[in-house]
Amino acid sequence: MSKIEPYITSIPDFPEPGVIFRDITTAIGSADGLQLSVDEMAALLEGEPFDVVAGLESRGFLFGMPIAYKLHKPFIPIRKEGKLPRETVGATYDLEYGTATIEVHKDDIKPGMRVVLIDDLIATGGTLEAAAHLLEQLGAKVVKIVCLLELKGLHGRDRLKDYPLATVVSYDGK
């Protein structure tokens, strides 16, 4: 068991009956839990050569920024559509009921740049897949995806099979 696991609260039947919600706010709401989260995620990058950390809005920012700081790497935000002020490139992807678009500043990504992609959770993998494709469209190489949690029952890892993927805590359910 990961040292961070006791800091994550499991809430049954939220947001609907039969679902167990894995609440990370209890982990980041504790100084020890926050430090363990960042340290354990950063440890998954030991020995990995990369140039930059990219994090997905918004919870990928919570972990991506301190990991970038700890490892002395720049941080690139991948945001929801319309939130970045300079020229952007976007990727639209399917949600359960509709679509969403994420964007990155076009000039933040350089051809050949080796990127680590950070988010809090891998569920279906759709957002991470869109982010990886967006970065690659601009000439970057996604060398690793790191998340704090994985919900294995949603099979997101299958969508991301072309990328090295590491998580700190994995749950069998959805």
Side-chain angles (χ1 to χ4, degrees), residues 66-80:
I67 289 169
Y69 176 83
K70 179 181 181 74
L71 300 177
H72 195 72
K73 299 289 184 180
F75 178 80
I76 295 174
I78 299 173
R79 300 216 50 200
K80 295 173 185 166

Side-chain angles (χ1 to χ4, degrees), residues 45 48 50 52-55 114-118 143-146:
L45 295 170
E48 183 70 56
F50 66 97
V52 65
V53 172
R114 295 166 304 176
V115 180
V116 167
L117 190 53
I118 303 286
V143 297
K144 195 162 195 177
I145 297 173
V146 175

Side-chain angles (χ1 to χ4, degrees), residues 27-80:
I28 63 175
S30 156
D32 290 339
L34 176 59
Q35 189 169 26
L36 281 168
S37 297
V38 171
D39 288 349
E40 289 191 32
M41 291 175 79
L44 297 173
L45 295 170
E46 285 181 21
E48 183 70 56
F50 66 97
D51 302 309
V52 65
V53 172
L56 288 153
E57 185 173 357
S58 67
R59 292 177 304 230
F61 294 3
L62 296 175
F63 299 110
M65 283 287 295
I67 289 169
Y69 176 83
K70 179 181 181 74
L71 300 177
H72 195 72
K73 299 289 184 180
F75 178 80
I76 295 174
I78 299 173
R79 300 216 50 200
K80 295 173 185 166

